[in-house]
Each structure stands twice: as C-alpha cells, then as structure tokens.
Amino acid sequence: MELLEKTDKTDKIHDDLLKSFEEKIDRDDTIEPKDRMPDGYRKHLIRQMQQHAHSEVIGMQPEGNWITRAPSLRAKQILLAKIQDEGGHGLYLYSAAETLGISRDEMISQLHSGKAKYSNIFNYPALTWADIGAIGWLVDGAAIVNQVSLQRTSYGPYSRAMVRICKEESFHQRQGYEIMAKMMKGTKDQQEMARDAMNRWWWPSIMMFGPHDTESPHTGDAVKWKIKRHSNDDLRAKFIDKTVQQAEVIGLTIPDSDLKWNEARGHYDHGPIDWTEFFRVIGGQGPCNKQRMAHHLKVHNDGAWVREAAEAYREKRDKQLLHL
Ligand code: 3HC
C-alpha cells in the first residue's frame, strides 16, 4: 500500500507512517505487501523484480537452442531440467512483483516496449556446446552470488522467492562447470571450444553485476531500504574471487591480463570493464537483442489462446460459484 499523498492535514500521519516503515527496515523486519511503504520503495522493487523475472524467461532462449543438439541423452535431460527451472524462477518473480500492484500484462508490455530491461548477458549468442557450459558456470554462477545476497532483501515476497530459486541455482552452476571440466579433459578441439567460450562469456558475466558503485544510480536507495545487502562491486569481487580458483582447477585462463591478487584488498584486481559495450547492449544494440525480443513477442502472441481459455474457464467457474 502506498503512503498517503502529503497534504497539510496528512503531514503528521504521513510522517508517522514513514517513521514506522523506517523502523521496520532498521529492525531488519521484512516489508510485506499489506504494509504501508514509500512509493519510491515500491517503484524501485517493481523495476528490479520485473527485470529479474524477464531475465529468467529470456534466459531460456540461448539454452533452448541447444536442447536438440545436446551431445548425450543425459546432457539433454539436464539442460531440459535447467531451462524448466528458469521458467519457474520467472513465475516466482512475476508473482512476487504482482504483490506490489503491477499486473503480469503490464510487466510483459513494459518488456515489449523496452521500458523494462532484462539482463545484458542474454543478448549474446550460444555458439557451441561449450557456451552452454559457460552459461551454467559463469552466468548462473554470477546469478547465484547476486541471488544469495538477495535472500536477505527487505521485501518479504522477493526474499522468499530468492530462497526457493537459490536452491536450484547451485545445480545450474555445477552442471555448467561439469561441461567445461569435461571439455578441458577432452580433445584439442573441445579444449579450444571451451577456451573460446570462456573468452566470450567472461566479461559480459562480470558486467551482470551492474555499473561500478560510484556510477550506479539505484544503489544508494537500494542499500538505504535494504533491498540490496551488498553493492554491485562487492558482489562482482566475490564472483571473480571464486571463479578464478575454479578456472585454475580445470586449466582455463581468465581472459584478463590485469587479473592479480591484491592482498591488501583481499580480492583480485581486474582490468577495466568495457562499459561502452555494456550500455550498448542494454540499450538494445547487442548481438541478439532483436532476436530475443522477436522470439518473446511471437511466443507471447502464439500463446494468447491459452491465456484466453484459462480466463474464460476462470470466469465460468466464478459465475458457477456465485450461483451456488
Ligand atoms: N543487465 C541489464 N541492465 C542492467 C544490468 C544488467 N546486468 N545491471 C544494471 N542494469 C541497469 C539497471 O537496471 C539500471 O537501469 P534502469 O534504471 O533502467 O533499471 C541501470 O543499469 C543502473 O544500474 P544500477 O546498478 O543502478 O541498478 P540496480 O541497483 O537495479 O542494480 C542489478 C542492478 C545488480 C542487476 C540489480 O537490479 C539486481 O540485483 N537485480 C536482480 C538480479 C537480476 O536481475 N539478475 C539478472 C540475471 S537473472 C539470471 O541470470 C538467471 C539465471 O538463472 C541464469
């Protein structure tokens, strides 16, 4: 529920409501849908949660392309399970976002109009089977670092959705890492394929955490309202530190000649991130933006009859219940 609009008469009520919201945040209580909340808090969450949900669903596309080309029945089963999980994650997140008063239709239309984004990472093509390994290992690996932190986000429905999603993400990361490990033990061609995928997916994966903290317009509010428990750069550093070790174990080299352990920071220093590429991609000029959106639009329109049938059934059932 939004706080009352500020007028002379309601100033005191408004201030009391704001104070009680802030006290709940300070006490680390979760904010629930029925609680009064500043409009800015609600809008911030709607923006982030719907973009998170869109990312989960659009993220099914690059992997979906490889279901028919998986190298074994086991690999196909694992990939099918992972893609199905991602669809479910999208549904959890859309449902959690709806508790803030935005409809599913509105979120989808904001995605289609470009008003709402999805993660930069899904605008790159999955060119070989090693890309499926790199996506699971690096993309889901980055998502896990971000989502484990979001389990403690202040908005209750978002936090609970994260707890459910994190349980499945670790399987996603492990299956990707297993693919890369196997290929690095394989033929020279397979090793080359894995190195090529590493080189193409590394930098876009660390961009997933968003701009540097000093350039992030939303981090200030996100930290104040405990929507974010860690900053973009903190989470990026955490991801880099653990992934460098994993790469070393399977004999892969991180494509960053500036990567160096910094004892004083307790993290790896890395080379400059190409933010021009990042903003070009999230601005719609990535390698696959048009393809991803065209596919989503087509499937959404092709599936309209399912939504209409479900709506008709619901109306009929509600009418019957009313006449009982
Ligand atoms: N891709 C696209 N846009 C991004 C982005 C990314 N990786 N990182 C930041 N941006 C956008 C922000 O949305 C914002 O634009 P907006 O005002 O139009 O929304 C702008 O860049 C400034 O970024 P900020 O850092 O100030 O924005 P946030 O405070 O929202 O932080 C975030 C960005 C860290 C991505 C945060 O939104 C977040 O934690 N989101 C939830 C996690 C998420 O969405 N993950 C996406 C991947 S899900 C996934 O990988 C599925 C897995 O199963 C494979």
Side-chain angles (χ1 to χ4, degrees), residues 124-128 131 193 195-204 255:
Y124 294 86
L127 301 175
T128 72
D131 286 51
M193 216 184 263
R195 285 192 196 97
D196 171 54
M198 178 87 203
N199 293 341
R200 282 186 288 107
W201 288 91
W202 173 253
W203 289 100

Side-chain angles (χ1 to χ4, degrees), residues 10 45 61 79 86-87 91 97 123 132 136 189 192 195 199 224 230 287 292:
T10 60
L45 283 165
Q61 288 189 36
L79 185 57
E86 308 297 11
L91 295 182
N123 288 306
I132 299 302
D189 284 351
E192 197 33 53
R195 285 192 196 97
N199 293 341
K224 177 180 76 176
H230 299 91
R292 298 284 183 250

Side-chain angles (χ1 to χ4, degrees), residues 44 47-48 51-52 55-56 82 86 89 115 117-122 139-140 143 146-147 150 158 169 172 207-211 215-219 222 228 232 278-279 282:
H44 186 114
R47 176 192 62 82
Q48 175 167 329
Q51 292 184 159
H52 197 160
S55 303
E56 297 281 1
K82 176 181 188 310
E86 308 297 11
H89 296 173
K115 185 165 183 258
K117 295 184 170 71
Y118 56 90
S119 187
N120 66 303
I121 196 72
F122 297 122
V139 175
D140 287 73
N146 172 287
Q147 291 170 160
L150 278 170
Y158 196 18
E169 284 297 2
H172 298 174
M207 291 176 196
M208 281 173 71
F209 294 96
E215 309 299 316
S216 160
H218 298 301
T219 290
K228 268 184 189 175
N232 297 359
F278 172 77
F279 283 107
I282 71 171

Side-chain angles (χ1 to χ4, degrees), residues 38-307:
D39 197 28
Y41 177 81
R42 192 176 64 82
K43 285 185 177 149
H44 186 114
L45 283 165
I46 286 177
R47 176 192 62 82
Q48 175 167 329
M49 290 168 71
Q50 75 158 313
Q51 292 184 159
H52 197 160
H54 297 328
S55 303
E56 297 281 1
V57 172
I58 298 273
M60 295 164 79
Q61 288 189 36
E63 294 172 317
N65 267 333
W66 278 88
I67 292 173
T68 55
R69 294 181 281 172
S72 70
L73 179 59
R74 177 180 178 271
K76 183 187 287 226
Q77 283 172 318
I78 291 174
L79 185 57
L80 276 167
K82 176 181 188 310
I83 295 168
Q84 187 179 316
D85 283 352
E86 308 297 11
H89 296 173
L91 295 182
Y92 296 153
L93 288 160
Y94 282 128
S95 305
E98 283 171 330
T99 64
L100 288 157
I102 185 170
S103 72
R104 187 78 55 94
D105 286 348
E106 177 54 27
M107 288 187 266
I108 299 300
S109 105
Q110 288 190 15
L111 170 68
H112 289 161
S113 67
K115 185 165 183 258
K117 295 184 170 71
Y118 56 90
S119 187
N120 66 303
I121 196 72
F122 297 122
N123 288 306
Y124 294 86
L127 301 175
T128 72
W129 180 250
D131 286 51
I132 299 302
I135 290 173
W137 175 36
L138 300 176
V139 175
D140 287 73
I144 288 176
V145 170
N146 172 287
Q147 291 170 160
V148 163
S149 171
L150 278 170
Q151 288 181 124
R152 293 184 53 241
T153 193
S154 58
Y155 188 56
Y158 196 18
S159 158
R160 291 187 289 273
M162 284 296 101
V163 170
R164 288 194 63 167
I165 286 174
C166 286
K167 287 195 172 88
E168 293 168 345
E169 284 297 2
S170 35
F171 143 66
H172 298 174
Q173 192 264 2
R174 295 306 301 166
Q175 62 85 35
Y177 188 55
E178 183 192 74
I179 290 172
M180 298 299 264
K182 266 190 183 162
M183 294 190 86
M184 287 306 286
K185 286 196 195 112
T187 64
K188 287 261 170 286
D189 284 351
Q190 285 170 332
Q191 290 172 21
E192 197 33 53
M193 216 184 263
R195 285 192 196 97
D196 171 54
M198 178 87 203
N199 293 341
R200 282 186 288 107
W201 288 91
W202 173 253
W203 289 100
S205 298
I206 65 173
M207 291 176 196
M208 281 173 71
F209 294 96
H212 287 307
D213 300 344
T214 48
E215 309 299 316
S216 160
H218 298 301
T219 290
D221 280 346
V223 171
K224 177 180 76 176
W225 286 325
K226 297 186 182 175
I227 292 170
K228 268 184 189 175
R229 293 294 191 157
H230 299 91
S231 76
N232 297 359
D233 286 327
D234 287 349
L235 294 176
R236 194 181 347 261
K238 210 177 177 127
F239 169 69
I240 292 172
D241 294 349
K242 74 175 194 158
T243 311
V244 170
Q245 325 276 353
Q246 291 167 356
E248 275 165 14
V249 167
I250 58 174
L252 273 170
T253 308
I254 304 280
D256 176 0
S257 53
D258 295 326
L259 197 76
K260 191 165 172 294
W261 180 253
N262 180 326
E263 196 53 45
R265 282 185 61 228
H267 294 294
Y268 279 91
D269 288 339
H270 59 80
I273 295 173
D274 180 356
W275 294 113
T276 321
E277 175 181 336
F278 172 77
F279 283 107
R280 187 179 67 245
V281 169
I282 71 171
Q285 304 309 317
C288 296
N289 296 57
K290 291 183 182 53
Q291 171 190 340
R292 298 284 183 250
M293 198 47 67
H295 182 80
H296 192 282
L297 261 166
K298 177 177 180 322
V299 171
H300 184 73
N301 294 337
D302 290 353
W305 69 272
V306 177
R307 294 190 296 277

Side-chain angles (χ1 to χ4, degrees), residues 1-3 18 21 36-43 225:
M1 294 278 282
E2 288 169 19
L3 292 176
L18 186 58
F21 167 81
R36 297 288 182 113
M37 62 185 83
D39 197 28
Y41 177 81
R42 192 176 64 82
K43 285 185 177 149
W225 286 325

